[in-house]
Amino acid sequence: MAETYKDGIIYSNTEISPNIYEIILEGDFEGKPGQFYMVRGWNGLDPFLPRPISIADLENGRIKLLYEVRGKGTHIISKLKKGDKLSILGPLGNGFNIKEEGKIALITGGVGIAPMLYLAKNLFAEIDIFSGFRSNAYFLDQIRPYVKNTFIATEDGSTGHKGFVTELFDPSKYDVVYTCGPTPMMEVVMKMCKGKVPVYVSMENRMACGIGACLGCTVETTRGMERVCKEGPVFKGEEVVLHD
Ligand SMILES: Cc1cc2nc3c(=O)[nH]c(=O)nc-3n(C[C@H](O)[C@H](O)[C@H](O)COP(=O)(O)OP(=O)(O)OC[C@H]3O[C@@H](n4cnc5c(N)ncnc54)[C@H](O)[C@@H]3O)c2cc1C
Ligand code: FES
């Protein structure tokens, strides 16, 4: 990976659900499921830092990113149009450890669904996906061709089970679990899986450099403090130290 930013030309930037955008960039991008790019969609120093976004899909060098508009950075990116440029650095971090046997569960919360399409396309195993959303479900239509069963939960009950997605999940039915989403959700998944089934978690700590230099993104693991951008973002659940 060259540690310099390069341009990606926007092929499309579409709002697929309220505040959720899918952006496709032209280019010769590479990367493994679970890796991410640092993305900058503005000139100048405001906001100062680029934003980390996971690889949602990669096909013929074109990269797809799925992002939720949260603050200034993602708001600026959401206003960009076909033909505009994004400055991006990657692929960064270690991806998911790919297992090709047994029954696999993917568990996602909100935009934590982003890395799961590219992961599911590369697993070649029997996969069930459990996805939780606040309200509208999104992106699952693209993932469905690669999974056997889809379980949906929404906090407002508008689609699927009313409540949290972890209420639908039984760890004893699976050989491997991959999860990405808000930290409290991933902590529940880690606790449910502990001693029963291996779980891989993709951490979403705030990042500054993305390349291991600033130590701004560290997480406590059984080996000591580790950088989410370099040693992660994917960790084995048993290695992440949970605090009650
Ligand atoms: C490895 C990695 C991969 C990620 N992949 C995706 C992705 O595919 N799609 C996506 O939508 N988001 C992803 N995120 C989160 C994304 O980077 C943040 O949502 C984004 O940086 C917010 O920038 P902003 O300028 O819009 O908001 P800011 O103004 O910086 O912050 C607005 C809100 O977002 C929260 N926030 C900021 N950074 C993060 C973060 N890293 N994780 C969680 N919450 C954050 C803040 O606490 C605040 O509440 C990823 C984060 C990491 C570390
Ligand atoms: S973001 Fe700088 S070390 Fe991880």
Side-chain angles (χ1 to χ4, degrees), residues 36 51-54 66-68 70-75 111 114 203-207 233:
F36 67 96
R51 303 304 197 231
I53 304 286
S54 307
L66 183 77
Y67 63 96
E68 179 171 15
R70 289 217 172 124
K72 199 164 190 175
T74 48
H75 177 74
V111 78
M203 307 294 289
E204 294 215 336
N205 289 29
R206 298 208 72 171
M207 288 188 180

Side-chain angles (χ1 to χ4, degrees), residues 72-227:
K72 199 164 190 175
T74 48
H75 177 74
I76 295 172
I77 295 168
S78 74
K79 298 294 166 206
L80 298 175
K81 303 266 179 292
K82 184 178 173 75
D84 289 343
K85 280 184 198 160
L86 272 182
S87 179
I88 76 172
L89 175 70
L92 300 171
N94 289 309
F96 287 105
N97 188 358
I98 302 282
K99 301 274 182 202
E100 299 192 352
E101 293 163 8
K103 279 194 78 179
I104 291 176
L106 310 181
I107 307 180
T108 72
V111 78
I113 198 170
M116 296 307 182
L117 169 60
Y118 195 35
L119 176 63
K121 282 172 88 169
N122 282 278
L123 281 172
F124 305 109
E126 189 181 320
I127 308 168
D128 287 347
I129 187 164
F130 297 79
S131 292
F133 303 91
R134 255 174 264 132
S135 181
N136 302 306
Y138 49 80
F139 207 50
L140 280 167
D141 51 338
Q142 298 192 45
I143 298 180
R144 268 201 189 92
Y146 305 96
V147 302
K148 190 165 182 213
N149 298 301
T150 306
F151 301 93
I152 304 175
T154 49
E155 286 174 37
D156 66 2
S158 55
T159 317
H161 170 74
K162 184 175 191 311
F164 294 124
V165 71
T166 42
E167 290 156 13
L168 301 173
F169 166 64
D170 175 357
S172 67
K173 292 189 174 159
Y174 296 95
D175 299 300
V176 187
V177 175
Y178 299 85
T179 184
C180 185
T183 304
M185 184 212 84
M186 291 201 292
E187 286 180 354
V188 172
V189 174
M190 283 187 257
K191 283 178 187 156
M192 289 176 83
C193 294
K194 198 168 181 181
K196 296 190 186 110
V197 52
V199 52
Y200 292 90
V201 295
S202 182
M203 307 294 289
E204 294 215 336
N205 289 29
R206 298 208 72 171
M207 288 188 180
C209 71
I211 54 169
C214 71
L215 306 184
C217 63
T218 52
V219 64
E220 191 175 349
T221 75
T222 49
R223 291 181 297 268
M225 298 304 282
E226 291 200 331
R227 297 162 298 182

Side-chain angles (χ1 to χ4, degrees), residues 10-51:
I10 296 175
Y11 173 76
S12 62
N13 191 17
T14 315
E15 189 171 23
I16 61 165
S17 187
N19 263 349
I20 304 291
Y21 286 73
E22 181 187 283
I23 196 164
I24 298 176
L25 302 177
E26 302 273 17
D28 57 349
F29 297 106
E30 359 178 279
K32 295 186 294 184
Q35 288 191 297
F36 67 96
Y37 277 80
M38 292 300 270
V39 179
R40 218 184 163 82
W42 50 90
N43 295 317
L45 300 179
D46 184 24
F48 187 56
L49 299 170
R51 303 304 197 231

Side-chain angles (χ1 to χ4, degrees), residues 53-67:
I53 304 286
S54 307
I55 300 172
D57 200 9
L58 240 173
E59 239 177 44
N60 305 323
R62 266 187 191 172
I63 197 168
K64 182 182 286 183
L65 309 172
L66 183 77
Y67 63 96

